[in-house]
C-alpha cells in the first residue's frame, strides 16, 4: 500500500526512483537520533546530469527545475533511510542549496525555490524548512545545483 506522501507525489506525476548511489567516498545519509542528514544531491533527471552556470548558460527558471530534481533525490534518500516507508518523514528541517553561478548572479534563492516549493507542494506543512541558498563557482560534474538536507523522521 502506498502512503500519503507517495500518493501525493504520484498526483504530482513523481515516482521516487531508487536512491542515487554515492559518487565518491561518503555515505548517502547518516541518521542521528530522529534526524537524517542527507548528503548533497546533484541536479539530474532521466536524461542525465543537468549542467550549466546560472547567469551565463542557464536561466533562473531552468535552475529552479534543476533544483526540483535535487529535492526528488533527497526524498528518495529519506525513503531509503526510512526502510522504504516515506510516511516516517516528520518534516524537512533544513536545506542547504548550492548554485553553480557567475560572480555577479544574485538569484540563488529563486533557484533553490524550485526545491522548496516542490517540497511544500508534495509534503504540505511537513515540507516547510529553514534554508540557505549560496553561490558556488563550480559544482561536481558541472551540474547546475546541489542540495543537501536535514530531515526529522519517526
Amino acid at each position: 500500500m502506498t502512503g500519503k506522501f507517495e500518493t501525493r507525489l504520484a498526483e504530482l506525476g513523481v515516482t521516487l526512483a531508487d536512491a542515487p548511489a554515492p559518487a565518491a567516498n561518503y555515505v548517502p545519509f547518516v541518521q542521528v537520533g530522529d534526524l537524517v542528514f542527507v548528503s548533497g544531491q546533484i541536479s539530474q533527471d532521466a536524461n542525465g546530469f543537468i549542467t550549466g552556470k546560472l547567469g551565463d548558460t542557464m536561466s533562473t527558471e531552468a535552475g529552479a527545475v534543476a533544483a526540483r530534481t535535487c529535492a526528488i533525490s533527497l526524498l528518495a534518500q529519506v525513503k531509503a533511510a526510512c526502510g522504504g516507508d516515506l510516511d516516517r518523514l516528520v518534516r524537512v528541517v533544513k536545506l542547504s542549496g548550492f548554485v553553480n553561478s557567475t560572480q555577479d548572479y544574485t538569484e540563488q534563492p529563486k533557484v533553490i525555490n524550485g526545491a522548496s516549493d516542490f517540497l511544500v507542494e508534495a509534503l504540505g506543512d511537513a515540507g516547510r524548512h529553514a534554508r540557505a541558498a549560496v553561490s558556488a563557482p563550480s559544482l561536481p560534474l558541472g551540474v547546475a545545483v546541489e542540495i543537501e538536507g536535514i530531515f526529522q523522521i519517526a
Side-chain angles (χ1 to χ4, degrees):
M1 175 146 182
T2 304
K4 67 179 180 178
F5 289 140
E6 289 200 72
T7 297
R8 178 63 183 141
L9 288 168
E11 291 170 358
L12 296 172
V14 174
T15 302
L16 295 181
D18 290 338
N25 186 19
Y26 63 91
V27 294
F29 58 83
V30 172
Q31 182 175 345
V32 178
D34 66 348
L35 296 179
V36 175
F37 296 77
V38 179
S39 295
Q41 301 297 297
I42 58 176
S43 52
Q44 58 186 324
D45 60 17
N47 297 317
F49 299 120
I50 301 171
T51 60
K53 185 172 282 291
L54 281 290
D56 182 18
T57 63
M58 182 176 258
S59 70
T60 298
E61 295 76 18
V65 171
R68 183 181 188 272
T69 70
C70 296
I72 293 168
S73 293
L74 286 166
L75 289 181
Q77 294 292 358
V78 171
K79 180 179 176 181
C82 291
D85 182 5
L86 189 59
D87 280 356
R88 287 184 53 205
L89 175 63
V90 173
R91 73 167 305 145
V92 181
V93 177
K94 183 176 183 195
L95 298 181
S96 296
F98 305 91
V99 179
N100 184 353
S101 54
T102 61
Q103 184 175 359
D104 60 345
Y105 183 79
T106 60
E107 296 188 340
Q108 292 83 0
K110 290 181 181 179
V111 171
I112 303 304
N113 278 348
S116 296
D117 293 347
F118 170 75
L119 290 170
V120 172
E121 184 179 17
L123 307 174
D125 283 341
R128 297 192 184 282
H129 53 271
R131 187 181 87 176
V134 299
S135 179
S138 68
L139 289 172
L141 306 170
V143 297
V145 181
E146 180 174 354
I147 303 176
E148 64 181 17
I150 303 170
F151 301 83
Q152 182 183 19
I153 63 171

